[in-house]
Amino acid sequence: TLTWADGEYRFRLDIPRLQELQEKCNAGPNVIFNRLADGSYYVNDIRETLRLGLIGGGTEPSKALSLVIRYVDAHPLAQNVKAATLVMMAAI
């Protein structure tokens, strides 16, 4: 559970969501984590980690997408790097 965006949300990246994340980012979990940690991230490293993490944590997919559109797409990427990094760290 993380305080993110407008409240507290549960995030979880299980194996099926990690597999989808790999496809979306064209990279494995450790590569994505390292890109987030060292600042060489791609947009989808942040966006899809948070979206899929929300879904894995129990958020309805449409609400997860809405949250990502509102709090990731509409803000500078750097504002969400820490949250995405924590989600990936927990998954790994």
Side-chain angles (χ1 to χ4, degrees), residues 5-86:
D6 62 355
E8 282 199 359
Y9 293 92
R10 184 166 188 249
F11 292 85
R12 181 170 185 254
L13 289 172
D14 55 8
I15 296 300
R17 303 232 195 303
L18 283 171
Q19 288 173 319
E20 186 175 347
L21 182 62
Q22 287 180 147
E23 292 173 16
K24 298 276 186 189
C25 297
N26 196 32
N30 282 326
V31 171
I32 296 166
F33 173 76
N34 287 333
R35 291 192 306 217
L36 289 166
D38 73 14
S40 65
Y41 52 80
Y42 295 7
V43 172
N44 272 351
D45 292 345
I46 297 167
R47 190 177 197 282
E48 293 301 319
T49 295
L50 294 173
R51 185 182 71 82
L52 291 168
L54 285 163
I55 294 168
T59 302
E60 290 294 321
S62 61
K63 178 168 176 153
L65 179 59
S66 176
L67 287 166
V68 167
I69 289 169
R70 184 178 311 135
Y71 294 107
V72 177
D73 295 357
H75 295 275
L77 290 174
Q79 288 183 1
N80 289 290
V81 172
K82 182 178 179 181
T85 303
L86 291 171

